[in-house]
Amino acid sequence: MCSSDLDVIVVDPGHGGIDGGTSVGELLEKNINLDIGLKLKKELKKEGYKVIMTREKDESLEKYSDINSSRYRKDLNARKCIVNDNDPIVFVSIHVNSSKKPSARGVKIYHYPTSIEGKKLAQSICYSVDNVVYEGLLRENSIRAEVIGENYYILRETENTGVLVEVGFITNEEDRKLITDDKYQDKIVFAIKEGIKEYIREVK
């Protein structure tokens, strides 16, 4: 069942431009975020949603902010304003994780700690990732997606239900291969989309 044309979703590929995000060698988080974000836009539009992107190319967003602050803070402020100005039914910020522990891996879905709806959305996406990616694609029983409450700026300062999805760890060899693989990207995008759809079905 397609959604109403009134249902707006904001997709936020993290970092961009001068801000590469986390990295290993020449592999930069910002590029993976954008690849997955654009694929997610395409899939959500197929479902009938109106999709707003915070960025659709390799750029940082500080030039779109009028606050007097650091480049980093201005970039975040611009992303917050795009979300708030478009009043989406949900928003999703796409990122890649990193850790000093090479063994750390897996998809993490963050919501603002006191947001009941954010937690519901995160849990819906988590269930979908487990089903589509870990059980369906990877046949993996030892790892599952994780829902975490976190006080991130994009979750704290926005007025709408949203989550931040870390699609894997760039610092883990297995995850690094996955997050740069088209098939994995397609599956994680499908899983996020299905999780969003299920959440919207429940709240309507």
Side-chain angles (χ1 to χ4, degrees):
M1 180 178 175
C2 287
S3 69
S4 162
D5 287 338
L6 297 176
D7 287 339
V8 175
I9 295 174
V10 173
V11 176
D12 172 40
H15 307 285
I18 194 172
D19 179 7
T22 191
S23 64
V24 170
E26 295 183 354
L27 182 61
L28 302 177
E29 176 189 357
K30 66 175 183 177
N31 297 325
I32 299 167
N33 296 343
L34 184 58
D35 287 345
I36 291 175
L38 289 172
K39 288 181 177 183
L40 182 57
K41 174 191 176 182
K42 184 178 179 181
E43 288 301 309
L44 288 169
K45 286 187 74 174
K46 286 181 184 177
E47 300 290 340
Y49 297 106
K50 180 179 178 181
V51 182
I52 305 294
M53 301 288 291
T54 58
R55 68 180 181 101
E56 294 193 77
K57 58 184 179 180
D58 182 17
E59 64 174 342
S60 54
L61 305 181
E62 68 271 10
K63 60 182 175 288
Y64 302 113
S65 172
D66 57 8
I67 65 169
N68 183 20
S69 190
S70 67
R71 186 210 62 76
Y72 174 73
R73 183 64 66 167
K74 291 178 79 167
D75 174 82
L76 288 174
N77 173 258
R79 294 171 195 273
K80 174 200 77 171
C81 289
I82 291 170
V83 174
N84 289 344
D85 289 350
N86 285 283
D87 192 27
I89 190 165
V90 299
F91 73 88
V92 179
S93 189
I94 304 293
H95 286 261
V96 171
N97 222 332
S98 68
S99 175
K100 293 180 180 178
K101 296 180 180 179
S103 61
R105 64 174 304 209
V107 176
K108 313 291 183 188
I109 305 112
Y110 297 88
H111 63 89
Y112 191 65
T114 58
S115 173
I116 294 171
E117 293 305 313
K119 186 175 183 179
K120 286 180 183 177
L121 174 59
Q123 288 171 333
S124 184
I125 293 173
C126 180
Y127 175 81
S128 185
V129 169
D130 285 345
N131 184 49
V132 172
V133 177
Y134 290 126
E135 295 176 17
L137 175 65
L138 302 178
R139 309 292 184 189
E140 177 66 72
N141 294 317
S142 63
I143 186 170
R144 288 290 180 267
E146 186 178 1
V147 172
I148 304 168
E150 187 61 71
N151 186 25
Y152 288 137
Y153 179 97
I154 196 68
L155 302 176
R156 180 181 69 247
E157 299 296 325
T158 44
E159 298 165 358
N160 303 77
T161 300
V163 293
L164 186 151
V165 180
E166 302 265 14
V167 298
F169 281 78
I170 201 170
T171 44
N172 178 270
E173 186 176 358
E174 292 174 84
D175 269 11
R176 191 161 59 248
K177 289 176 183 176
L178 291 173
I179 61 179
T180 55
D181 178 75
D182 274 336
K183 189 173 182 181
Y184 176 84
Q185 288 189 1
D186 290 344
K187 287 295 185 182
I188 195 76
V189 163
F190 180 80
I192 294 170
K193 179 192 75 171
E194 289 299 303
I196 290 171
K197 282 171 59 182
E198 182 58 32
Y199 169 78
I200 292 173
R201 274 196 294 265
E202 290 178 1
V203 297
K204 283 200 162 185

Coordinates of all heavy atoms in Angstrom, one line a residue, residues 131-160:
N131 N 16.0 -9.3 10.3 CA 15.3 -10.2 9.4 C 15.9 -10.2 8.0 O 16.1 -11.3 7.4 CB 13.8 -9.8 9.4 CG 13.0 -10.8 8.6 OD1 13.1 -12.0 8.7 ND2 12.2 -10.3 7.7
V132 N 16.1 -9.0 7.4 CA 16.5 -8.9 6.0 C 18.0 -9.1 5.8 O 18.4 -9.8 4.9 CB 16.1 -7.5 5.5 CG1 16.7 -7.3 4.1 CG2 14.6 -7.3 5.5
V133 N 18.8 -8.5 6.7 CA 20.2 -8.5 6.5 C 20.9 -9.7 7.2 O 21.6 -10.5 6.6 CB 20.8 -7.2 7.0 CG1 22.4 -7.2 6.9 CG2 20.3 -6.0 6.2
Y134 N 20.7 -9.8 8.5 CA 21.5 -10.8 9.3 C 20.9 -12.2 9.1 O 21.7 -13.1 8.9 CB 21.5 -10.4 10.8 CG 22.4 -9.2 11.0 CD1 22.0 -8.1 11.7 CD2 23.7 -9.2 10.5 CE1 22.8 -7.0 11.9 CE2 24.5 -8.1 10.7 CZ 24.0 -7.0 11.4 OH 24.8 -5.9 11.5
E135 N 19.6 -12.4 9.0 CA 19.1 -13.7 8.8 C 19.0 -14.0 7.3 O 19.3 -15.1 6.9 CB 17.7 -13.8 9.5 CG 17.8 -13.7 11.0 CD 16.4 -13.8 11.7 OE1 15.4 -14.1 11.0 OE2 16.3 -13.4 12.8
G136 N 18.4 -13.0 6.6 CA 18.2 -13.3 5.1 C 19.4 -13.3 4.3 O 19.6 -14.2 3.5
L137 N 20.2 -12.2 4.3 CA 21.3 -12.1 3.4 C 22.6 -12.8 3.9 O 23.2 -13.6 3.2 CB 21.7 -10.6 3.3 CG 22.9 -10.3 2.4 CD1 22.8 -10.7 1.0 CD2 23.3 -8.8 2.5
L138 N 22.9 -12.6 5.2 CA 24.2 -13.1 5.7 C 24.1 -14.4 6.4 O 25.1 -15.1 6.7 CB 24.8 -12.1 6.7 CG 25.1 -10.7 6.1 CD1 25.6 -9.7 7.2 CD2 26.0 -10.7 4.9
R139 N 22.9 -14.9 6.6 CA 22.7 -16.2 7.4 C 23.5 -16.2 8.6 O 24.2 -17.2 9.0 CB 23.1 -17.4 6.5 CG 22.5 -17.4 5.1 CD 21.0 -17.6 5.2 NE 20.4 -17.7 3.8 CZ 19.1 -17.7 3.6 NH1 18.2 -17.7 4.6 NH2 18.6 -17.8 2.4
E140 N 23.5 -15.1 9.3 CA 24.3 -14.8 10.5 C 23.5 -14.9 11.8 O 22.5 -14.1 11.9 CB 25.0 -13.5 10.4 CG 25.9 -13.1 11.5 CD 27.1 -13.9 11.7 OE1 28.0 -13.8 10.9 OE2 27.1 -14.7 12.7
N141 N 23.8 -15.8 12.7 CA 23.1 -16.0 13.9 C 23.8 -15.3 15.1 O 23.2 -15.2 16.2 CB 22.8 -17.4 14.2 CG 21.9 -18.1 13.2 OD1 20.9 -17.5 12.8 ND2 22.3 -19.3 12.7
S142 N 25.0 -15.0 15.0 CA 25.8 -14.5 16.2 C 25.8 -13.0 16.3 O 26.3 -12.5 17.3 CB 27.2 -15.0 16.1 OG 27.9 -14.4 14.9
I143 N 25.1 -12.3 15.4 CA 25.1 -10.8 15.5 C 23.7 -10.3 15.2 O 23.0 -10.9 14.4 CB 26.2 -10.2 14.6 CG1 26.3 -8.7 14.8 CG2 25.9 -10.6 13.1 CD1 27.4 -8.1 14.0
R144 N 23.3 -9.2 15.9 CA 22.0 -8.6 15.7 C 22.2 -7.1 15.8 O 23.1 -6.6 16.4 CB 21.0 -9.1 16.8 CG 20.6 -10.5 16.6 CD 19.7 -10.6 15.3 NE 19.2 -12.0 15.1 CZ 19.8 -12.9 14.3 NH1 20.9 -12.6 13.7 NH2 19.3 -14.1 14.1
A145 N 21.3 -6.4 15.1 CA 21.3 -4.9 15.2 C 20.9 -4.5 16.6 O 20.3 -5.3 17.4 CB 20.2 -4.4 14.2
E146 N 21.3 -3.3 17.0 CA 21.1 -2.9 18.4 C 20.4 -1.5 18.4 O 20.8 -0.6 17.6 CB 22.4 -2.8 19.1 CG 22.3 -2.5 20.6 CD 23.7 -2.5 21.3 OE1 24.7 -2.7 20.6 OE2 23.7 -2.3 22.5
V147 N 19.5 -1.3 19.3 CA 18.8 -0.1 19.5 C 19.4 0.6 20.7 O 19.5 0.0 21.8 CB 17.3 -0.3 19.7 CG1 16.6 1.0 20.1 CG2 16.6 -0.8 18.5
I148 N 19.8 1.9 20.6 CA 20.5 2.6 21.6 C 19.9 4.0 21.8 O 19.7 4.7 20.8 CB 22.0 2.7 21.3 CG1 22.6 1.3 21.1 CG2 22.7 3.4 22.5 CD1 24.0 1.3 20.5
G149 N 19.7 4.4 23.0 CA 19.3 5.8 23.3 C 20.6 6.7 23.4 O 21.5 6.3 24.1
E150 N 20.6 7.8 22.6 CA 21.8 8.6 22.6 C 21.4 10.1 22.4 O 20.5 10.4 21.6 CB 22.7 8.1 21.5 CG 24.1 8.8 21.5 CD 24.9 8.6 22.8 OE1 25.3 7.4 23.0 OE2 25.0 9.5 23.5
N151 N 22.2 11.0 23.1 CA 21.9 12.4 23.0 C 22.6 13.1 21.9 O 23.3 14.1 22.1 CB 22.3 13.0 24.4 CG 21.9 14.5 24.5 OD1 21.0 14.9 23.9 ND2 22.7 15.2 25.3
Y152 N 22.4 12.6 20.7 CA 23.0 13.2 19.5 C 22.3 14.5 19.1 O 21.1 14.6 19.3 CB 23.0 12.3 18.3 CG 24.0 11.1 18.4 CD1 23.6 9.8 18.0 CD2 25.3 11.3 18.9 CE1 24.5 8.8 18.1 CE2 26.2 10.3 18.9 CZ 25.8 9.0 18.6 OH 26.7 8.0 18.6
Y153 N 23.0 15.5 18.6 CA 22.4 16.8 18.3 C 21.2 16.6 17.3 O 20.2 17.2 17.5 CB 23.5 17.6 17.6 CG 23.0 19.0 17.2 CD1 23.2 20.1 18.0 CD2 22.4 19.2 15.9 CE1 22.8 21.4 17.6 CE2 22.0 20.5 15.5 CZ 22.2 21.5 16.3 OH 21.8 22.8 15.9
I154 N 21.4 15.8 16.3 CA 20.4 15.7 15.2 C 19.1 15.1 15.8 O 18.0 15.3 15.3 CB 20.8 14.9 14.0 CG1 19.9 15.1 12.8 CG2 21.0 13.5 14.3 CD1 19.9 16.5 12.2
L155 N 19.2 14.3 16.9 CA 18.1 13.7 17.5 C 17.5 14.6 18.6 O 16.3 14.6 18.8 CB 18.5 12.3 18.2 CG 19.1 11.3 17.2 CD1 19.5 10.1 18.0 CD2 18.1 10.9 16.1
R156 N 18.4 15.4 19.3 CA 17.9 16.2 20.4 C 17.3 17.5 19.9 O 16.3 18.0 20.4 CB 19.1 16.6 21.2 CG 18.8 17.5 22.4 CD 20.1 17.8 23.2 NE 21.0 18.7 22.5 CZ 22.2 18.3 22.1 NH1 22.6 17.1 22.3 NH2 22.9 19.2 21.4
E157 N 17.8 18.1 18.8 CA 17.4 19.4 18.4 C 16.3 19.4 17.4 O 15.7 20.5 17.0 CB 18.6 20.2 17.8 CG 19.7 20.4 18.9 CD 19.3 21.3 20.0 OE1 18.5 22.2 19.8 OE2 19.8 21.0 21.2
T158 N 15.9 18.3 16.8 CA 14.8 18.2 15.9 C 13.5 18.0 16.5 O 13.4 17.5 17.6 CB 15.1 17.1 14.9 OG1 15.5 15.9 15.6 CG2 16.2 17.5 13.9
E159 N 12.4 18.4 15.8 CA 11.1 18.4 16.4 C 10.3 17.2 16.0 O 9.1 17.0 16.4 CB 10.3 19.7 16.0 CG 11.0 20.9 16.5 CD 10.5 22.2 15.8 OE1 9.7 22.1 14.8 OE2 11.0 23.3 16.1
N160 N 10.8 16.3 15.1 CA 10.1 15.2 14.5 C 10.7 13.9 14.9 O 11.9 13.8 15.4 CB 10.1 15.3 13.0 CG 9.5 16.6 12.5 OD1 10.1 17.7 12.6 ND2 8.2 16.6 12.1

